[in-house]
């Protein structure tokens, strides 16, 4: 909280004029305080109590200038706020609370993370499982295609005993390959469905 003014040049000039007057009945105590303020190097400070004494003197003597005119270029002196030192026990306790809260936040964020999957062996095992799965799919598709092609070839070759025309033989081979393909597809879907339904 402010308790004094930082005086400006106008204050210095007016007070010097006032102190030079020998006929003024300026109280000795006030004269000494004002003289000390004028002689000090800038920034000089005028306390509120001294300002009140000067104001009373100026009013009583009927001077042609007022205190607010003297202090026009002055400013309030705001002392620097000194923060009290923090209690070390309180600081230590706050640090513990911050660490505990950070740990709880970390645990909450990593709750769904599985350590087994994070390490290198877990990742390689998962990669191996994916390779085996892809290999099984490739073998199944290859087996499906070979079965359809073999069925078409057998039906085409075997139908020569029933049909003499090539068109009839091709149609009968396509029908046989389609029936076997649909049956193979049904079995494949049931197998995949069973694998996906396993826990």
């Amino acid at each position: 909280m402010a308790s004094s003014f930082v005086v400006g040049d106008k204050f210095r000039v007016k007070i010097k004029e006032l102190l030079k007057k020998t006929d003024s009945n300026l109280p000795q105590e006030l004269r000494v305080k004002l003289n000390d303020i004028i002689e000090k190097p800038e920034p000089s400070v005028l306390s509120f109590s001294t300002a009140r004494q000067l104001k009373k003197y100026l009013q009583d003597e009927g001077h042609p200038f007022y205190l607010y005119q003297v202090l026009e270029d002055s400013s309030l002196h705001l002392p620097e706020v000194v923060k009290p030192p923090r209690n070390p026990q309180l600081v230590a306790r706050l640090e513990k609370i911050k660490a505990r809260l950070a740990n709880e936040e970390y645990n909450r964020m990593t709750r769904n993370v599985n350590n087994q999957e994070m390490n290198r062996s877990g990742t390689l095992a998962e990669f191996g499982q994916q390779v085996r799965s892809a290999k099984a799919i490739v073998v199944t598709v290859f087996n499906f295609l070979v079965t359809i092609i073999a069925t078409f070839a057998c039906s085409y070759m075997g139908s020569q005993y029933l049909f003499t025309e090539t068109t009839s033989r091709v149609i009968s081979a396509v029908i046989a390959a389609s029936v076997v393909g649909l049956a193979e597809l049904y079995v494949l879907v049931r197998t995949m469905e069973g694998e996906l339904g396993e826990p």
Side-chain angles (χ1 to χ4, degrees):
M1 187 173 165
S3 61
S4 55
F5 296 102
V6 177
V7 296
D9 293 334
K10 197 167 190 178
F11 177 85
R12 290 175 179 278
V13 170
K14 292 282 188 184
I15 296 302
K16 278 182 186 175
E17 289 174 7
L18 185 66
L19 291 175
K20 282 181 184 175
K21 290 182 181 176
T22 53
D23 59 341
S24 67
N25 56 354
L26 188 65
Q28 187 62 30
E29 182 187 350
L30 183 58
R31 183 182 290 275
V32 170
K33 287 180 183 176
L34 292 174
N35 203 18
D36 287 345
I37 292 169
I38 297 296
E39 289 177 0
K40 277 185 187 174
E42 293 185 13
S44 302
V45 177
L46 172 69
S47 67
F48 284 177
S49 60
T50 308
R52 280 192 212 96
Q53 290 174 357
L54 181 61
K55 178 181 179 273
K56 186 174 184 314
Y57 169 75
L58 292 174
Q59 281 180 343
D60 292 346
E61 293 298 315
H63 279 275
F65 55 88
Y66 295 98
L67 182 64
Y68 76 87
Q69 293 172 328
V70 175
L71 295 173
E72 265 181 352
D73 61 344
S74 301
S75 60
L76 283 175
H77 177 255
L78 298 170
E80 188 176 332
V81 178
V82 178
K83 292 182 180 179
R86 296 184 78 180
N87 186 345
Q89 293 173 346
L90 177 65
V91 172
R93 193 168 167 206
L94 286 173
E95 290 300 323
K96 282 182 184 177
I97 291 171
K98 281 182 187 174
R100 188 187 54 163
L101 289 173
N103 196 20
E104 286 176 3
E105 178 72 13
Y106 176 77
N107 288 337
R108 187 181 62 76
M109 288 190 304
T110 59
R111 180 174 48 218
N112 297 331
V113 178
N114 186 358
N115 290 339
Q116 298 284 335
E117 294 175 4
M118 293 294 285
N119 62 18
R120 187 176 296 278
S121 62
T123 305
L124 288 175
E126 187 177 316
F127 179 70
Q129 184 181 3
Q130 289 176 355
V131 167
R132 283 191 295 275
S133 173
K135 183 179 174 185
I137 290 172
V138 168
V139 168
T140 304
V141 169
F142 182 72
N143 186 22
F144 177 74
L145 292 175
V146 167
T147 304
I148 290 175
I149 292 169
T151 304
F152 179 83
C154 289
S155 298
Y156 182 77
M157 299 298 272
S159 65
Q160 70 182 344
Y161 299 111
L162 296 174
F163 306 108
T164 55
E165 293 178 14
T166 308
T167 311
S168 303
R169 290 174 61 192
V170 169
I171 290 174
S172 66
V174 167
I175 291 172
S178 299
V179 169
V180 171
L182 288 173
E184 190 77 24
L185 193 59
Y186 174 77
V187 171
L188 180 66
V189 167
R190 295 294 291 188
T191 306
M192 294 286 283
E193 199 175 72
E195 286 178 4
L196 292 173
E198 289 178 0

